[in-house]
Amino acid sequence: RKEVEQDPGPFNVPEGATVAFNCTYSNSASQSFFWYRQDCRKEPKLLMSVYSSGNEDGRFTAQLNRASQYISLLIRDSKLSDSATYLCVVIHSSASKIIFGSGTRLSIRP
Amino acid sequence: NAGVTQTPKFRVLKTGQSMTLLCAQDMNHEYMYWYRQDPGMGLRLIHYSVGEGTTAKGEVPDGYNVSRLKKQNFLLGLESAAPSQTSVYFCASSYPHALMNTEAFFGQGTRLTVV
């Protein structure tokens, strides 16, 4: 079983829709959580950190559920420019490894 | 503002050849990583380093070696390339994760094809 699992998608939604992704992690020692965005043939870039209390950045909301070991990303009022692959990222407290999920592909159609 | 620089950006190797990928960062980061990305597989950690002179194995270390002789450089070596090592390779660097909001910065990737 992979340490970080994501639904690969693709999610194909119309512009203006709300879309949500989940990511589950198996290591309970995981300490830090992030969402990264990767455009086609480009390097991943940080989208937002995920805090235990949940956090919002404009149209993006991230939440963490430690009891169930999953994190989520909600995108409201989706734009064409949101089309990308979204990567869930987990960092262990005991090691220095950054572990990526395999990514969820999102495609926004006009 | 170079950030993380990978060289080369593209390379074609014949099976059995060797090569070294160079990653250089100018942000004084302690931690550096090498990943490979294959279709549908996401980024898989090959090796990583938590400081100059130290390296550790990640999820898929076989067939690769690394060295961190200088803090700013992290080298990935393929001693005898195999077609299974055809992939896109990404290097990343970050501050120690005791800082909760630390961000990993990536290089632009190296597209390697082994024929």
Side-chain angles (χ1 to χ4, degrees):
Chain A
R1 183 188 170 195
K2 293 184 71 173
E3 199 166 333
V4 179
E5 302 226 40
Q6 292 182 249
D7 182 341
F11 285 68
N12 190 325
V13 302
E15 200 173 1
T18 295
V19 61
F21 313 132
N22 280 343
C23 164
T24 58
Y25 60 95
S26 59
N27 191 329
S28 58
S30 300
Q31 182 182 46
S32 305
F33 308 89
F34 305 85
W35 284 102
Y36 276 68
R37 170 192 169 128
Q38 185 175 25
D39 294 299
C40 189
R41 301 176 78 84
K42 298 283 191 180
E43 73 273 23
K45 292 186 178 177
L46 179 66
L47 177 66
M48 60 195 303
S49 304
V50 186
Y51 306 129
S52 295
S53 54
N55 50 299
E56 193 172 302
D57 183 2
R59 298 181 293 107
F60 298 83
T61 300
Q63 296 208 312
L64 167 64
N65 185 319
R66 284 191 185 272
S68 301
Q69 295 186 194
Y70 77 83
I71 69 173
S72 64
L73 177 68
L74 180 79
I75 305 175
R76 291 181 300 278
D77 187 24
S78 53
K79 312 291 184 192
L80 294 176
S81 57
D82 294 333
S83 295
T85 296
Y86 291 83
L87 300 161
C88 170
V89 178
V90 170
I91 298 175
H92 297 167
S93 57
S94 58
S96 307
K97 296 186 290 185
I98 304 177
I99 305 296
F100 283 77
S102 54
T104 298
R105 200 150 55 90
L106 173 66
S107 179
I108 308 297
R109 62 179 188 270
Chain B
N1 262 7
V4 180
T5 304
Q6 287 182 234
T7 52
K9 290 188 170 42
F10 303 92
R11 185 74 185 267
V12 178
L13 282 181
K14 292 183 179 179
T15 298
Q17 284 186 317
S18 63
M19 78 164 293
T20 300
L21 282 67
L22 171 63
C23 177
Q25 53 96 2
D26 61 2
M27 296 173 283
N28 202 35
H29 285 167
E30 289 293 335
Y31 291 6
M32 296 187 75
Y33 308 83
W34 275 108
Y35 293 87
R36 61 177 288 175
Q37 187 171 34
D38 303 294
M41 299 291 287
L43 280 87
R44 291 184 292 169
L45 183 62
I46 305 172
H47 287 279
Y48 64 102
S49 167
V50 301
E52 182 178 319
T54 70
T55 63
K57 293 180 180 180
E59 303 170 81
V60 288
D62 294 341
Y64 305 96
N65 56 74
V66 287
S67 64
R68 184 102 181 265
L69 298 179
K70 294 183 179 180
K71 186 177 182 179
Q72 63 267 34
N73 295 337
F74 194 29
L75 278 63
L76 178 72
L78 286 73
E79 286 190 352
S80 180
S84 60
Q85 293 178 303
T86 293
S87 188
V88 179
Y89 291 85
F90 285 103
C91 174
S93 71
S94 71
Y95 285 115
H97 302 303
L99 305 173
M100 292 291 289
N101 297 334
T102 187
E103 174 182 352
F105 293 84
F106 283 82
Q108 292 182 312
T110 297
R111 295 187 179 278
L112 175 66
T113 302
V114 183
V115 297

